[in-house]
């Protein structure tokens, strides 16, 4: 008589997947810019390398998935009824998330490696597109309520935010703090 192995179920698979994501983020935070390999991620998560590749095609894809999950938790998409309040909430949360000692190295690694990995570059574009869509939605609601001019270029407003964010994040020449978040929010809204 043939006995099928009991199905391990989604819970166990999800726990393993989460262990891999947590290990990748932790290793990046500890690496101080050094390369983190899939082997190292698998060892830290207590799984085989093939388990990592079952869910992700590359190390960069693991890191991006980690950041995507973290950004969903750390960068809200509010709808308070005030475009300034909602935009400021997102800008502050984005700035704080980028300062996180675990998130910052992962994000810098993704940006660096996406320059040499077309697949990762596509994944990073998808990640940033989701964040752009969230801000665009906040601005569109503000326009619908009359808080932003009907002819305002919402895509340009989103670019103004991300232009400052990426420039300061990558070059590190100036802070990304709550004071800057408030001034940037007011500057974006004042011209539109």
């Amino acid at each position: 008589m043939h006995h099928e192995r009991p199905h391990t179920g989604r819970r166990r698979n999800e726990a393993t997947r989460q262990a891999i994501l947590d290990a990748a983020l932790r290793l990046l935070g500890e690496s101080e810019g050094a390369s983190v390999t899939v082997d190292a991620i698998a060892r830290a998560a207590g799984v085989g390398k093939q388990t990592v590749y079952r869910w992700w095609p590359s190390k960069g894809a693991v890191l991006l998935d980690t950041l995507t999950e973290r950004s969903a938790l750390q960068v809200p998409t509010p709808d308070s009824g005030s475009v300034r309040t909602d935009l400021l909430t997102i800008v502050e949360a984005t700035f704080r998330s980028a300062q996180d000692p675990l998130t910052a190295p992962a994000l810098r690694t993704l940006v660096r490696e996406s320059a040499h990995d077309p697949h990762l570059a596509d994944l990073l574009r998808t990640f940033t597109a989701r964040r752009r869509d969230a801000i665009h939605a906040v601005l569109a609601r503000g326009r619908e309520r009359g808080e932003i001019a009907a002819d305002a270029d919402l895509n340009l407003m989103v670019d103004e935010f991300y232009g400052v964010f990426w420039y300061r994040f990558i070059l590190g020449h100036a802070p990304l703090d709550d004071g800057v978040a408030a001034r940037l929010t007011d500057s974006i809204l004042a011209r539109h």
Side-chain angles (χ1 to χ4, degrees):
M1 184 169 153
H2 175 21
H3 293 285
E4 281 190 32
R5 182 175 166 241
H7 181 53
T8 57
R10 180 163 172 77
R11 178 169 288 147
R12 176 181 278 186
N13 288 341
E14 185 57 31
T16 300
R17 183 180 164 281
Q18 195 60 54
I20 293 167
L21 294 175
D22 292 346
L25 196 59
R26 187 177 64 255
L27 288 172
L28 274 168
E30 297 167 354
S31 73
E32 298 181 0
S35 183
V36 174
T37 66
V38 170
D39 285 330
I41 293 169
R43 271 193 310 277
V47 300
K49 191 164 111 174
Q50 70 279 7
T51 301
V52 175
Y53 284 119
R54 182 179 308 142
W55 285 304
W56 301 278
S58 67
K59 171 184 66 174
V62 176
L63 302 179
L64 187 60
D65 202 9
T66 301
L67 288 177
T68 300
E69 285 193 8
R70 288 184 67 85
S71 71
L73 297 173
Q74 295 181 5
V75 180
T77 52
D79 187 3
S80 70
S82 163
V83 70
R84 184 188 185 281
T85 299
D86 293 347
L87 183 58
L88 180 59
T89 298
I90 293 173
V91 174
E92 286 177 341
T94 301
F95 286 5
R96 286 183 197 137
S97 178
Q99 311 287 330
D100 182 278
L102 294 176
T103 303
L107 191 52
R108 283 191 176 93
T109 298
L110 281 172
V111 170
R112 183 177 61 245
E113 291 190 9
S114 69
H116 308 288
D117 180 341
H119 176 69
L120 182 56
D122 286 342
L123 293 173
L124 189 57
R125 274 190 287 280
T126 299
F127 171 78
T128 57
R130 288 183 193 135
R131 304 315 309 149
R132 288 181 57 81
D133 289 348
I135 293 172
H136 194 280
V138 163
L139 296 172
R141 285 192 301 269
R143 183 166 57 189
E144 289 167 9
R145 291 189 300 262
E147 297 173 274
I148 296 174
D151 63 347
D153 186 341
L154 301 186
N155 288 321
L156 180 60
M157 294 171 77
V158 173
D159 286 345
E160 289 175 54
F161 161 59
Y162 276 116
V164 170
F165 169 73
W166 285 111
Y167 188 75
R168 288 189 174 199
F169 178 75
I170 291 170
L171 296 182
H173 76 287
L176 289 170
D177 57 28
D178 287 354
V180 172
R183 290 191 306 278
L184 177 58
T185 298
D186 290 340
S187 175
I188 290 168
L189 294 176
R191 290 192 306 273
H192 302 279

